[in-house]
Amino acid sequence: EDKNIISTLVNDLIKLKEKGINIIGTNVNYFSQKDKSHNTGWIMFPKSVKKGKVYNEFRRNYNLKISNNYKIVDFVSECFILIDSSIFDKIGLLDENFFIYGEETEFSLRAWSCGYGSAINKDLTIYHKVAATNKVGSPFSLYLKTRNVYYLLRKSKKLIQDINYFKCMYFYDFIK
């Protein structure tokens, strides 16, 4: 609905880049229920911080303060994401082996490990036709999600501290 959303995000990225934020997105609401949130950026296991299990050590060590209009997140939903092009030269592209589900998570973990942060502009919202490609709970969807969890774990085991907890949460998120 905001015709300036892309230019706003470009300006945000220019402004936040000097603070280590090189990936930015927006709030994501459901297209069919515009007042219902799908996500506001993703933070992996925020409740586990008290137990010492922090899955994104890089975010935990990120002490820079930014405006309240933004939220530091572990990864931005790929349905609407703006990435500074210089990152691709440093860490590579999104991994096509994922096909769908999880590629932005793995890319963001690599980005964070190289010092590139992710944030969302809390004042901006897009509307997403969730499951337009795959029906929620379809065998194909469940296959891809399951396969990609294990691919992500295998590929990112150095970046993820507690694999069993991660598997449980990731499956819960997609099966609920």
Side-chain angles (χ1 to χ4, degrees):
E1 294 177 352
D2 183 347
K3 293 181 177 157
N4 298 315
I5 195 166
I6 293 175
S7 60
T8 300
L9 285 179
V10 168
N11 289 330
D12 288 345
L13 196 58
I14 291 167
K15 178 172 53 175
L16 295 173
K17 187 175 174 180
E18 64 190 42
K19 297 184 181 211
I21 301 298
N22 295 73
I23 302 170
I24 193 157
T26 67
N27 295 309
V28 179
N29 285 9
Y30 289 93
F31 185 82
S32 60
Q33 296 173 287
K34 291 192 173 20
D35 60 334
K36 185 177 177 187
S37 175
H38 177 268
N39 75 77
T40 57
W42 299 95
I43 296 189
M44 295 179 179
F45 324 108
K47 295 178 182 174
S48 65
V49 173
K50 293 178 184 174
K51 297 178 184 175
K53 295 179 183 176
V54 178
Y55 294 85
N56 187 340
E57 279 295 318
F58 316 105
R59 179 179 47 84
R60 186 172 108 171
N61 295 326
Y62 184 85
N63 295 321
L64 195 57
K65 301 291 181 210
I66 60 174
S67 162
N68 288 338
N69 298 46
Y70 305 100
K71 174 181 169 186
I72 303 292
V73 296
D74 288 332
F75 64 97
V76 174
S77 180
E78 194 179 3
C79 66
F80 197 78
I81 187 170
L82 187 65
I83 302 171
D84 180 64
S85 63
S86 65
I87 292 179
F88 298 113
D89 293 333
K90 304 271 193 309
I91 69 169
L93 301 173
L94 290 148
D95 186 338
E96 292 179 2
N97 291 318
F98 282 97
F99 179 54
I100 54 174
Y101 307 125
E103 66 277 13
E104 72 270 57
T105 306
E106 188 274 335
F107 181 83
S108 293
L109 284 170
R110 279 190 286 137
W112 273 107
S113 71
C114 294
Y116 302 112
S118 302
I120 62 156
N121 182 325
K122 297 190 302 186
D123 296 332
L124 299 174
T125 301
I126 61 113
Y127 303 103
H128 181 41
K129 291 185 178 181
V130 176
T133 305
N134 283 310
K135 185 177 178 188
V136 174
S138 73
F140 185 61
S141 172
L142 291 174
Y143 163 75
L144 288 172
K145 290 172 185 176
T146 303
R147 180 198 69 170
N148 290 354
V149 165
Y150 286 102
Y151 182 62
L152 175 66
L153 292 172
R154 207 171 52 247
K155 189 171 180 183
S156 305
K157 61 186 168 189
K158 292 178 184 173
L159 301 175
I160 300 172
Q161 296 176 1
D162 185 333
I163 288 175
N164 288 326
Y165 189 73
F166 181 79
K167 284 190 293 193
C168 292
M169 186 283 187
Y170 197 80
F171 280 121
Y172 173 78
D173 182 53
F174 283 114
I175 295 173
K176 65 180 177 178

